[in-house]
Amino acid sequence: VSQILWLGDGIEGDDTDGHIDDITRFVNQNTVVTAVEKNSADPNHAILENNLKRLRAMTLVDGRPLNIIELPMPPRIEREGQRLPASHANFYITNHSVLLPVFGGASDEAAKGILTDLFPTRTIVSIDCRELIWGLGAFHCLTQQQPAKQAKG
């Protein structure tokens, strides 16, 4: 590793203290897509604005700035009084498609359009994750862990 790019806090409702897959994702060697919340009254606004400022100050190893694409946050989703960490950034890239978590709001189509532009050779597949997010993650979260083999004793 020759460089680490470090962001601040994660979104409200995230039980991981800010796993990157809910906030910002590299989509190629010099481009990141990053979640932004335009509603200044939403607690995620300040968190994501701070991360955006950090990204704007960062450079790649060769000194070039990052190409930063803003990705809107979905509407607030709560269940049993708990805010859930709904984020379009929790997409999963396959060989031929991108699985995009959507949440039934106006941001769904905007997120699909952004990812369509960023992944022109892949089909963007929008999948409603309003039930899945109750598990505190979406597609990218689901693909990250594998159970360890149980040791024979």
Side-chain angles (χ1 to χ4, degrees):
V1 174
S2 56
Q3 180 181 21
I4 296 174
L5 305 176
W6 199 264
L7 296 180
D9 293 331
I11 59 176
E12 188 178 42
D14 179 11
D15 64 334
T16 68
D17 293 325
H19 273 192
I20 196 70
D21 59 358
D22 273 339
I23 305 168
T24 302
R25 307 279 304 280
F26 269 93
V27 295
N28 64 37
Q29 290 181 338
N30 67 339
T31 303
V32 295
V33 61
T34 192
V36 294
E37 174 57 63
K38 296 298 184 184
N39 178 359
S40 61
D42 189 299
N44 283 328
H45 176 78
I47 292 167
L48 297 174
E49 185 66 24
N50 179 341
N51 285 332
L52 182 59
K53 286 178 184 173
R54 288 176 182 224
L55 288 167
R56 287 180 176 150
M58 294 176 185
T59 59
L60 300 166
V61 173
D62 63 7
R64 289 181 298 142
L66 287 167
N67 180 25
I68 303 164
I69 307 297
E70 295 182 12
L71 185 67
M73 284 292 288
R76 182 182 187 98
I77 297 176
E78 287 189 22
R79 187 138 328 145
E80 296 180 12
Q82 176 183 350
R83 184 169 190 173
L84 302 178
S87 174
H88 297 299
N90 205 265
F91 56 85
Y92 179 71
I93 304 166
T94 73
N95 289 339
H96 303 289
S97 64
V98 176
L99 305 182
L100 172 65
V102 295
F103 303 95
S107 62
D108 293 348
E109 283 303 311
K112 185 173 184 176
I114 290 166
L115 293 186
T116 297
D117 291 343
L118 292 172
F119 295 100
T121 63
R122 290 181 169 88
T123 302
I124 309 303
V125 181
S126 299
I127 302 174
D128 190 325
C129 286
R130 286 177 280 190
E131 291 299 320
L132 182 62
I133 199 64
W134 181 229
L136 303 182
F139 304 121
H140 194 266
C141 291
L142 289 173
T143 65
Q144 300 311 298
Q145 287 75 33
Q146 292 182 338
K149 280 189 172 183
Q150 190 171 17
K152 293 185 180 183

